[in-house]
Amino acid sequence: MYRILLVEDDATLRYMYARMHAWQAQGFCLAAEAANGKEALEKLSEECFDLIVTDIRMPFVDGLELLRALRQRENHTPVILISSYGEFEYAREGLVLGAFDYIVKPFQESAIDAVLARVAAYLSSRGTEDSHFALVREAFSHAGVAIGEDSFTHTLVAFLAAHLNEVVTMEQAAAHLGLSKDYFGKTCKAHTGITFGTLYNYVRVENAKCLLRDSTCLAGEISELLGFASPDYFARIFKSLTGQTPSQYRAENR
């Protein structure tokens, strides 16, 4: 379940919020509570949460100050602001600062339920995006390509992650970076030490490893899905980069 940090200075309201069924209904749980933004920041320095639900008006550090502090720390955890009817300007400022949404109190469970549904959808899509980035980064690591602060490789990683479940060509990658195919090829070799074709094979093989571990797809189906010319070619590339055939890898990693 997604973990929520609830920030509210009114103990009675914290008790009421904790008893709402909307959290669990949307796949969330109230993992921790804080009485103000200062306490929240202390908890955030010790553990991670998937969502922060915070009142705007609180002593010491209020909701907007908490939101500013999070962004200064480059913490992009979604934040839902709770405001009173007369605090619309504060809520609007929160949205400018990057709050996910706001709700006006007193509110019904149906109101928080609708917002939580949107947050859950966002977290789900972000999780998929993050896993794709992690897979492409892992492939680059296996290829011996250091990403570091290299803007070219960062852009290439982002492109390949965004199109992980598609078959991409060198022409498409070049167009994404605004380069001609020939210049892109030379630039890729200069920044990574290998050709785009070889690098892309590392990415496809890393993706194939995930499919072999986590799905029931046959090797031939994976070969077609990832755009290899034939199952035999897929098997040769897979073995050359991993030292195992697809069937050997699946047997050891299922």
Side-chain angles (χ1 to χ4, degrees):
M1 299 185 82
Y2 295 121
R3 304 175 73 249
I4 295 176
L5 172 61
L6 174 63
V7 191
E8 168 62 63
D9 62 310
D10 188 319
T12 301
L13 286 177
R14 289 203 305 273
Y15 176 77
M16 291 173 56
Y17 295 156
R19 292 175 63 84
M20 289 183 173
H21 298 293
W23 316 110
Q24 291 82 5
Q26 293 296 340
F28 291 85
C29 66
L30 291 177
E33 298 178 5
N36 54 63
K38 182 175 181 293
E39 285 188 16
L41 289 170
E42 290 170 355
K43 290 184 181 295
L44 285 160
S45 68
E46 298 170 355
E47 54 185 313
C48 296
F49 300 91
D50 300 296
L51 173 65
I52 299 169
V53 178
T54 179
D55 194 11
I56 288 182
R57 293 279 195 167
M58 296 180 296
F60 303 112
V61 175
D62 66 24
L64 294 184
E65 291 171 327
L66 170 60
L67 186 53
R68 289 192 191 95
L70 290 173
R71 298 312 179 236
Q72 288 171 357
R73 296 181 181 187
E74 296 191 358
N75 181 326
H76 298 288
T77 302
V79 174
I80 295 175
L81 297 172
I82 303 174
S83 68
S84 298
Y85 279 108
E87 295 175 342
F88 176 72
E89 289 302 319
Y90 291 100
R92 183 165 63 182
E93 183 179 351
L95 295 177
V96 171
L97 289 170
F100 186 90
D101 208 337
Y102 76 95
I103 49 179
V104 177
K105 61 181 179 181
F107 54 84
Q108 301 295 319
E109 281 204 47
S110 58
I112 189 67
D113 188 73
V115 176
L116 289 174
R118 294 197 295 275
V119 177
Y122 166 75
L123 290 172
S124 177
S125 65
R126 191 176 72 173
T128 299
E129 180 179 298
D130 289 346
S131 68
H132 285 184
F133 267 95
L135 186 149
V136 176
R137 286 176 176 273
E138 184 71 11
F140 274 51
S141 176
H142 288 160
V145 177
I147 298 173
E149 299 300 321
D150 188 321
S151 61
F152 176 87
T153 54
H154 272 288
T155 304
L156 189 54
V157 166
F159 172 76
L160 292 174
H163 299 276
L164 188 64
N165 293 325
E166 306 168 26
V167 178
V168 300
T169 65
M170 186 169 166
E171 288 85 352
Q172 289 171 319
H176 179 76
L177 275 80
L179 304 174
S180 69
K181 178 183 175 181
D182 288 344
Y183 188 67
F184 170 83
K186 293 176 183 177
T187 304
C188 184
K189 183 70 178 290
H191 283 257
T192 68
I194 55 179
T195 65
F196 174 76
T198 300
L199 185 60
Y200 187 43
N201 276 340
Y202 272 99
V203 173
R204 290 196 289 178
V205 165
E206 197 64 31
N207 200 2
K209 286 159 65 176
C210 289
L211 293 170
L212 288 166
R213 288 195 307 267
D214 304 331
S215 78
T216 58
C217 292
L218 300 175
E221 294 172 329
I222 293 173
S223 169
E224 182 177 358
L225 182 67
L226 299 181
F228 285 95
S230 69
D232 287 343
Y233 180 65
F234 164 61
R236 288 200 302 273
I237 294 296
F238 191 95
K239 187 171 185 179
S240 71
L241 298 185
T242 68
Q244 296 177 300
T245 66
S247 59
Q248 288 171 334
Y249 181 86
R250 168 169 272 169
E252 291 187 11
N253 292 276
R254 288 299 293 268

